[in-house]
Each structure stands twice: as C-alpha cells, then as structure tokens.
Amino acid sequence: MSGFGPDLPAFAEVMPGVRRLVAPNPSMMTGPGTNTYLLGEQEIAVLDPGPALPEHIDNIIARAGAPIRWILATHTHPDHSPGVRLLAKQTAAEVLGMPAPDGRHQDRTFRPGRVLADGDELRTDEFCLQAIHTPGHASNHLCYRHEAHELLFTGDHIIDGSTVVIDPPDGNMKQYIDSLRRCRALACAALAPGHGDIVPDPARAIDWIIDHRLQREAKVLAAMQANPGLSARELVPHVYQDVDPELYGWAERSLLAHLEKIEEEGLRP
Ligand SMILES: [Zn+2]
C-alpha cells in the first residue's frame, strides 16, 4: 500500500511477456510509484527504469532473469529516466528514446544511443514496439505500441486514476489534446500507463480525458469573460473550485497551458 492513487502489487505479469515493477517512489505526483515494464523473456527490454534508486535497479535486474538488451524511456522527467544510466552501466544495454529538451524538471543524464523518431520500431524475436511521438505532457514524450498485444505504453501521456500536469512551455495543451486524439485513432486493446494499473477501455478513457480538458477550457473562457483583467493566478480559484487549494500551484501551470491554447486558437473572449 503506497497510500497514493490505486493500490498496485509491487510486481505483476500484466500480459504474457509483459511484466510490471513499481518503483518505490510513491507520492502525490507519482501515485503508487513509477511503473517499470519488462518486455520479453529471452532478451529483455526495460521501459522507464524510473528514478535513480539502486534498490529498484537491482530489483529490475533480478526480476529480468535474462539479459537486458534495450532500455527505453517515454520521456525525461525525473521520475521516469534517471534510472537509465545506472541500469545501462550494469547491463551494457542499448538506450533508446528522445533526448531531454531544455528547461526545468528534465533529466540531462539521459543520453540515448539510438534517438527515436515517430514511427521507429524496436523489433526483437519476441515482440515489436513502435514509437509514437505524443508531445503535450512533455515535448519529447513517446508512447510505445506493442504490436502483438495491441497494448499502448503511455508513460505520463495517460495515467490511471488522475489527470497529468501540463506545464508550459515544454508542456503544451493543444499538442496534448492532438496527441490524445492520435492515440485514440490507434484503436488499441488496452493502455499500460506510467503510473497506476492497466486501462482496459482506451477509447472511453481517452474520450473522458479530452472531454475533461475541454470542459476545463470552457471554465477558463467563462472565468475570463466574467472577470476581465485577472492574472492567471487570480483566475485559478474561479476555474479550479474542485481542486484542493494546496494544489493551486500546479493548477496555475495547467491554467497557463489552457491560456496558451486559447491564444493560439484565437478563442480569447
Ligand atoms: Zn512526466
């Protein structure tokens, strides 16, 4: 029991050849902890080794039970990729992903040996993963589609049990919603998020998120109209009545992301 978000076992086989380890970093922002996925049985790919926690890295190696050949990251926030360097040092595995952009909350130790672009594949004897570039939560965010299982690893693009922070300028609300629509069009059977449990009905989950974001945008527009001249910070209590005031700092970041989208689309009242 982490006390944060959905209760997850520390280790589980979520589908044949897909195992999930939860990193011991539970918090308000990471839920039960960051999910690390182990793909394959003869040769292993590790997706999102999480923060640089030696006991978690040792646990990944022990659970793998076979050579770790590849390490992938969905993005370079501090709860997803800093473990890559530790794991790569111990396994000599190839590192794949997109390098960290400039800005805060980025892991600059992440250095992919193979820089992925949208559509690139990692094809092994046991599985094929396709990289889907999904900017929005982070500009370098990749989801990965497991071909045989029609399973989409969603990192922080879509998480189980809560909404994700869109923190400008690297976070971008318009791109986020566009990327969600793109994921919906992939027609996957399930989502394997970076935090929380498997999401069994992707279309329904994605529709809910898009709807939720657009409803929030409508609230922003209404608040701007009713209270002309207020700053983003001053607008927060008018838009996030349902949010604990302790989280207003994060709410303000998301509100800024909405304001950027509103400007970009010429919707300002
Ligand atoms: Zn993130």
Side-chain angles (χ1 to χ4, degrees), residues 75 77 137 156:
H75 64 305
H77 283 161
H137 169 73
D156 276 355

Side-chain angles (χ1 to χ4, degrees), residues 2-264:
S2 68
F4 294 100
D7 205 17
L8 280 189
F11 177 74
E13 182 171 54
V14 294
M15 284 191 192
V18 180
R19 292 170 287 169
R20 179 186 66 212
L21 268 172
V22 181
N25 63 331
S27 74
M28 180 83 93
M29 301 309 289
T30 59
T34 303
N35 289 333
T36 298
Y37 292 96
L38 274 53
L39 310 179
E41 281 158 6
Q42 309 302 317
E43 291 185 299
I44 312 294
V46 175
L47 174 60
D48 279 354
L53 298 172
E55 73 269 31
H56 184 56
I57 303 303
D58 290 347
N59 200 10
I60 292 170
I61 293 169
R63 288 288 187 180
I68 295 173
R69 300 280 190 225
W70 308 276
I71 307 169
L72 303 111
T74 55
H75 64 305
T76 47
H77 283 161
D79 55 329
H80 287 260
S81 65
V84 170
R85 199 164 64 127
L86 282 183
L87 186 60
K89 220 187 272 178
Q90 293 188 52
T91 59
E94 183 181 30
V95 174
L96 301 90
M98 278 189 179
D102 289 334
R104 57 191 193 143
H105 304 312
Q106 292 291 346
D107 165 30
R108 298 203 190 288
T109 69
F110 181 72
R111 304 233 190 283
R114 191 161 140 202
V115 174
L116 294 175
D118 184 57
D120 283 352
E121 290 180 348
L122 171 63
R123 196 172 280 277
T124 80
D125 291 343
E126 298 176 86
F127 61 85
C128 176
L129 277 185
Q130 187 182 36
I132 317 285
H133 185 211
T134 47
H137 169 73
S139 61
N140 66 338
H141 197 288
L142 295 166
C143 292
Y144 295 95
R145 188 175 188 274
H146 188 294
E147 194 176 61
H149 287 321
E150 296 184 343
L151 177 66
L152 189 67
F153 295 94
T154 57
D156 276 355
H157 184 51
I158 301 167
I159 64 174
D160 170 37
S162 125
T163 56
V164 303
V165 171
I166 309 296
D167 185 12
D170 193 57
N172 182 293
M173 189 65 74
K174 180 170 166 29
Q175 291 177 356
Y176 182 64
I177 290 174
D178 290 346
S179 294
L180 285 169
R181 292 198 167 115
R182 193 159 169 230
C183 289
R184 195 190 189 289
L186 295 172
C188 292
L191 309 176
H195 305 276
D197 210 349
I198 295 286
V199 176
D201 188 344
R204 191 162 154 234
I206 293 170
D207 284 347
W208 185 88
I209 299 168
I210 293 174
D211 206 47
H212 176 80
R213 298 290 181 169
L214 294 181
Q215 279 179 29
R216 190 72 74 183
E217 180 179 293
K219 278 188 153 189
V220 176
L221 286 166
M224 288 169 83
Q225 205 145 24
N227 309 275
L230 288 196
S231 68
R233 178 160 299 174
E234 290 162 340
L235 280 170
V236 168
H238 297 273
V239 176
Y240 292 89
Q241 296 101 331
D242 54 322
V243 167
D244 182 345
E246 279 194 26
L247 298 175
Y248 275 4
W250 289 111
E252 188 185 342
R253 301 309 301 169
S254 281
L255 193 134
L256 282 170
H258 281 294
L259 292 176
E260 276 189 3
K261 178 175 179 291
I262 286 166
E263 284 299 331
E264 202 178 329

